[in-house]
Amino acid sequence: MASIKIPWYKFWDRGSASSTSKNYMIGQSSPDWLNENTLLDWYNYVPQVKTVINRKASMASNMKIKLLQGYGEDLTEIDSHPVLSLLKTPNILQSQKEFITQNWVFFEVFGESFTLMNGREFTSVPSSIFNLPNTLLKVNPTGKLYKQIEKDGIYESFELEANGKTETYQAEEIIHFANYGGSDGIRGQSILKTLQFPVSNTKKSYEARNVLIAKRGAIGILSNSSSDETGGIPLKPKEKDELQEKFDLKYGLREDQSQVVVTNGSLKWQAMNFDVRELALHLEETQNFRILVDAYGLNMNIFSEEKGATFENQKEGQRAAYESTIIPQAETFMEKLSKELLTDQEIANGMRLVADYSHLPCLQANQKEKAEAEDRRAAAFKKNVEGIVALESIGQGLDDQQIQDLLDL
């Protein structure tokens, strides 16, 4: 009978109760298999992940939502509108800031977020909006995509399973925010999936330190140093028991215990300590944290991990994070909200929701620099115009091309 060769990975059972023993047989420990629960666990239990995502979501929630209409000289801001009232108080549980923070946390953890619009069947503006937890929501696609012109042609339904009950929502009731990193062209993909090794290593680094602290094992060996012509003399069982009992009860760090062993026996000590610094766990965590910060488009200077960061560095780090990451992402967020909450006619008339961060101190300095640069440019332009007029008054006028070059037209 011919032998059958089975690849080693076929013995690696991802979910069975015996998977641990099987993995040890091939010299491997069970890895962190990626699914939505794993992503949520990483957010909940890896401090660096929660720190970065919460900081980004908190910074994003500093936006002021404005409703604008028109462009250029015809641009106007609309102060009163049902959509603005809705976003100011999205639902009975959350403020605008809380709603945005939660939405961004879901988006950054899972690569997508889902918002339910209540009461849309009665009015053009929903009565309330809620962010739905990703781990409890099931998306049922139709299987069709590129030839569809309505959402219900792409999404068949959404099912929320919570507290033993299932609620079903139609496509027009859900706002789906996604980074579209998934292979199906519909679902988003979490950034954490591309960071599975740094994040998993960080998690295991904390686990290793916990084991080293909680379960140190024996710190050393007390043995008999006496010897005769045949060699070392081992302690008798009774002597070992008495020595262990005295050591456990009499010696230690409590106030009623002694810290120095006094005995008639001839003993020697053999340390069994391990230098934890050799594992370089802190270095591993720091490197992984930097990778995480870069992946989420933030700046190390805004975190306490970065030692020696000055106030100016922190402010520059905040400005860089807003300008390069948060503001562009907020624009995409607002485009989606505009499309879902405003009517087609309002959008056709140039109405749109925008996220404004210009009130933030770290960006106001930038606005001041821009204003000063504009003032300098205007002063130089005025001076050049005056020079051209002066030359023309004495009959030394310039031709059109020279004037354009001088005025940078």
Side-chain angles (χ1 to χ4, degrees):
M1 182 176 178
S3 63
I4 300 175
K5 294 184 178 180
I6 302 177
W8 66 268
Y9 55 81
K10 293 294 184 182
F11 294 99
W12 197 325
D13 187 350
R14 300 187 183 190
S16 68
S18 62
S19 61
T20 301
S21 60
K22 291 179 182 177
N23 293 338
Y24 276 118
M25 288 175 64
I26 60 172
Q28 298 283 345
S29 61
S30 180
D32 289 330
W33 296 109
L34 282 173
N35 55 51
E36 291 197 346
N37 289 327
T38 302
L39 297 175
L40 187 60
D41 285 344
W42 283 353
Y43 170 74
N44 285 327
Y45 300 117
V46 181
Q48 288 87 340
V49 174
K50 175 165 280 192
T51 297
V52 171
I53 290 178
N54 281 8
R55 179 64 59 85
K56 186 174 182 180
S58 177
M59 292 175 70
S61 70
N62 288 327
M63 68 174 68
K64 289 183 178 179
I65 298 179
K66 294 183 177 182
L67 184 60
L68 304 181
Q69 185 170 12
Y71 301 89
E73 295 180 356
D74 297 328
L75 179 65
T76 58
E77 181 179 352
I78 300 173
D79 297 323
S80 179
H81 192 280
V83 169
L84 291 176
S85 300
L86 170 67
L87 294 174
K88 186 176 182 180
T89 308
N91 54 66
I92 58 175
L93 300 177
Q94 294 177 310
S95 65
Q96 181 184 105
K97 192 177 182 69
E98 290 171 329
F99 173 83
I100 294 172
T101 300
Q102 184 188 52
N103 189 288
W104 278 58
V105 167
F106 287 166
F107 186 90
E108 300 299 341
V109 173
F110 300 103
E112 58 186 353
S113 59
F114 301 87
T115 298
L116 171 66
M117 298 181 287
N118 286 318
R120 192 65 182 271
E121 63 272 23
F122 304 111
T123 60
S124 61
V125 178
S127 58
S128 64
I129 50 179
F130 281 91
N131 298 311
L132 303 179
N134 297 58
T135 54
L136 303 181
L137 191 68
K138 179 183 178 182
V139 180
N140 299 316
T142 63
K144 304 174 184 178
L145 179 57
Y146 296 109
K147 290 186 176 182
Q148 307 308 306
I149 59 174
E150 298 291 341
K151 284 201 299 182
D152 56 8
I154 299 174
Y155 306 102
E156 184 175 308
S157 64
F158 298 83
E159 297 178 19
L160 182 70
E161 298 181 5
N163 301 320
K165 298 181 180 180
T166 301
E167 293 184 357
T168 302
Y169 310 115
Q170 301 306 311
E172 60 269 15
E173 297 179 89
I174 300 294
I175 306 175
H176 181 200
F177 302 91
N179 61 14
Y180 298 110
S183 59
D184 61 358
I186 300 176
R187 304 297 298 274
Q189 178 173 294
S190 173
I191 294 176
L192 291 176
K193 290 189 176 182
T194 64
L195 299 171
Q196 56 181 309
F197 294 113
V199 175
S200 182
N201 288 349
T202 300
K203 179 173 177 288
K204 292 184 182 300
S205 173
Y206 278 105
E207 291 174 353
R209 280 201 278 168
N210 179 266
V211 170
L212 289 171
I213 293 172
K215 298 181 179 181
R216 292 173 296 175
I219 61 174
I221 300 173
L222 273 176
S223 59
N224 191 3
S225 64
S226 302
S227 61
D228 56 16
E229 63 276 5
T230 63
I233 303 176
L235 291 173
K236 298 178 180 179
K238 184 177 180 181
E239 293 174 327
K240 287 195 296 183
D241 292 342
E242 290 179 352
L243 182 62
Q244 184 70 55
E245 183 179 358
K246 287 182 180 180
F247 188 82
D248 291 340
L249 296 177
K250 185 175 181 181
Y251 303 103
L253 299 178
R254 295 199 307 267
E255 186 177 355
D256 60 339
Q257 291 179 315
S258 299
Q259 286 76 50
V260 179
V261 177
V262 179
T263 178
N264 293 326
S266 179
L267 303 175
K268 66 178 179 180
W269 170 256
Q270 180 178 345
M272 296 179 64
N273 291 340
F274 177 78
D275 190 353
V276 179
R277 290 175 296 181
E278 293 181 8
L279 293 176
L281 295 178
H282 288 292
L283 179 59
E284 173 76 12
E285 292 165 13
T286 300
Q287 291 175 336
N288 293 338
F289 184 56
R290 290 181 178 275
I291 294 172
L292 192 68
V293 170
D294 287 340
Y296 276 98
L298 299 183
N299 188 289
M300 280 298 298
N301 285 317
I302 66 177
F303 296 96
S304 59
E305 178 75 18
E306 187 67 9
K307 298 179 180 179
T310 65
F311 176 76
E312 284 301 319
N313 288 342
Q314 293 177 3
K315 188 165 67 173
E316 284 299 315
Q318 290 176 357
R319 184 169 77 172
Y322 272 111
E323 292 182 343
S324 63
T325 302
I326 294 176
I327 291 178
Q329 192 170 326
E331 290 174 351
T332 303
F333 179 72
M334 284 299 159
E335 287 176 0
K336 191 77 170 186
L337 280 182
S338 298
K339 181 180 179 181
E340 296 286 351
L341 299 179
L342 299 175
T343 65
D344 293 340
Q345 186 60 47
E346 288 172 332
I347 294 175
N349 292 334
M351 193 177 294
R352 61 201 182 278
L353 293 164
V354 298
D356 180 28
Y357 294 97
S358 61
H359 60 285
L360 298 177
C362 64
L363 296 179
Q364 285 181 338
N366 194 30
Q367 295 297 324
K368 181 181 178 181
E369 292 173 2
K370 290 181 179 179
E372 291 175 349
E374 288 294 333
D375 290 341
R376 289 193 297 269
R377 194 176 298 112
F381 185 85
K382 181 181 178 181
K383 185 175 181 180
N384 288 337
V385 170
E386 291 174 348
I388 293 171
V389 172
L391 288 173
E392 289 180 346
S393 66
I394 59 175
Q396 296 183 8
L398 305 176
D399 58 38
D400 291 344
Q401 186 59 50
Q402 290 175 321
I403 293 175
Q404 290 180 9
D405 293 341
L406 186 59
L407 299 179
D408 195 22
L409 296 178

